[in-house]
Amino acid sequence: MEGEEEDKNLVYFDPPLWRQRRSFVNEVLRESKVTSVVDFGCGEGSLLSFLIQPFEESPITRLAGVDINREIAEQAVENCRPWDHDVEFLRLTPLTVDIYQGSIDIADKRFLGFDALVCMEVVEHVDPPVLDKFFDIVLGTYKPKIVIVTTPNVEFNVYFPQLKYGTPEATLRIEDHRFEWTRKEFQEWGNSGAKKYNYSVEYTGVGKLKYGDPAVGNVTQIAIFRDLNPSSKPLLSSFDTYEHIEKIDFPYYNEPDKSYEEILETIHYYLQFLCNRIIDTTNIKNDQQHEPNRIKIEEIWDIHRIRQLCKTKDKLRDVLRSSSDFTLLNDEEIIVHREYHLDSYDHQEEDYDDYDDDYEYHGGDEILSSPNYNNDDQNWVTTTTNTAITTNGWPDYNGDYDSGWGDEGK
């Protein structure tokens, strides 16, 4: 009976709520083609480390995070350092990450000029006098092209019976929350800032229940602000200073451009494996014939070394067109006219293993394979019994980051 009672207090999100939030932010930034991002209230660097990914176009080259708690900011530094794979598979473009200690009600001149600012699961932890300065600092002074703010939707608390939402005894999800807004309250707050500083704003959210009431909305609500007048001057003319904790420089590929002949030599090396791989033909229709030398350009582009040499898909296509060994059927496929013969089974297996490591890590699933990305596919569980120990007014969680309200780890 006790176990059945506990099950009533669980709400499951799949994918995990933290992943839904970070993936949403990542996709908005990608679509907006930003190259520099501030994480305002970065905590332990969960979002920053998630964003340390090489985008195919307009990659992020500059990240900055600020948090009021120095100890937590120092942990962000550790979580954002390069991994061994970052040395083995060099990025295509430079990347710097700067971590600061400071309060979000202070403007630092070094934060001017960033394309985007993200404030994820932070505003609900902030006292009203600090929050009152938020738009003056963010929209009025830093003036990024795009601002993303996420915060809990208190209306969703109806699914957490212990919180007694809608009653005089109602409590918030976490003890350190100063407030939790309804969607109307959040939109009134967002609209006031957008109107004052000439930003557009749209509202959305993540985290739904499969059989939940659509009228309740998502567990997390999100506002996306876009600057309508980027040429306007910053509101503040005097600035304070955050404490700079550390600057992290990622290694990147910076060799001189190779000739088409040198690039083609590398392409032929990898094509010997692509053209000789074992293909499952069970799904090929009877009237279709498997063509081992018909290769998708995406498969070649997915090889990290090819990306380093070509930089863009257009250059890869130009290199392929320059050789009589290939015929481009369209922008997506080629016919390979050369035959490749691997020397022996042992040699084939050894070389293909090397190729496969390269392909898996820096291929189509590179974000999921990166060591800077938490690749835990478990269902995420929310309980209504978790509380937080606070440190200097910011939540400090103990225990498993896959359980809780989804606020920990952001």
Side-chain angles (χ1 to χ4, degrees), residues 143-174:
K143 289 186 53 60
K145 298 174 184 176
I146 183 169
V147 174
I148 305 171
V149 179
T150 81
T151 193
N153 168 23
V154 72
E155 296 167 77
F156 198 91
N157 289 1
V158 68
Y159 291 111
F160 307 131
Q162 287 94 328
L163 299 185
K164 302 178 180 179
Y165 177 69
T167 72
E169 295 81 27
T171 57
L172 302 178
R173 298 182 193 178
I174 292 176

Side-chain angles (χ1 to χ4, degrees), residues 278-336:
I278 299 174
I279 300 294
D280 181 3
T281 59
T282 56
N283 293 324
I284 297 179
K285 296 179 181 179
N286 293 332
D287 58 344
Q288 292 180 328
Q289 188 174 6
H290 171 56
E291 301 177 71
N293 287 4
R294 184 165 177 160
I295 303 295
K296 293 185 182 299
I297 291 177
E298 189 69 31
E299 293 181 281
I300 304 174
W301 177 247
D302 277 343
I303 300 167
H304 189 65
R305 180 59 178 165
I306 302 300
R307 292 195 186 198
Q308 289 178 333
L309 295 175
C310 294
K311 302 293 196 299
T312 67
K313 270 189 190 177
D314 286 339
K315 183 172 180 179
L316 171 59
R317 294 187 184 101
D318 288 342
V319 172
L320 294 169
R321 288 190 188 98
S322 72
S323 172
S324 59
D325 290 326
F326 311 110
T327 297
L328 270 72
L329 300 177
N330 48 52
D331 282 347
E332 304 301 329
E333 286 186 299
I334 62 170
I335 293 291
V336 182

Side-chain angles (χ1 to χ4, degrees), residues 36-52 60-80 95-104 106 108 110-112 114 116-120 122 142 241-248 250 394 410:
S36 53
V37 182
V38 170
D39 187 357
F40 219 38
C42 66
E44 297 167 345
S46 58
L47 176 63
L48 290 173
S49 61
F50 189 90
L51 295 177
I52 299 175
I60 291 176
T61 58
R62 189 162 59 124
L63 292 168
V66 59
D67 199 273
I68 196 170
N69 186 313
R70 182 182 175 88
E71 183 178 350
I72 290 178
E74 288 174 346
Q75 190 166 348
V77 170
E78 297 307 314
N79 289 336
C80 291
L95 173 67
T96 61
V97 183
D98 288 282
I99 304 297
Y100 299 84
Q101 187 271 323
S103 175
I104 65 173
I106 292 174
D108 188 311
R110 291 169 292 186
F111 277 38
L112 297 176
F114 279 81
L117 182 146
V118 180
C119 190
M120 194 166 68
V122 172
Y142 291 152
T241 303
Y242 302 140
E243 180 185 356
H244 187 241
I245 296 178
E246 189 163 338
K247 180 185 186 72
I248 303 168
F250 273 69
W394 294 82
K410 299 183 183 178

Side-chain angles (χ1 to χ4, degrees), residues 175-208:
E175 291 177 353
D176 186 59
H177 283 186
R178 303 323 196 238
F179 57 85
E180 289 171 4
W181 278 326
T182 64
R183 285 168 292 172
K184 180 180 178 181
E185 290 169 332
F186 183 47
Q187 292 175 22
E188 288 176 348
W189 176 77
N191 291 343
S192 66
K195 182 178 180 180
K196 183 176 181 180
Y197 291 109
N198 201 16
Y199 274 72
S200 67
V201 60
E202 59 183 290
Y203 300 95
T204 183
V206 295
K208 290 183 177 179

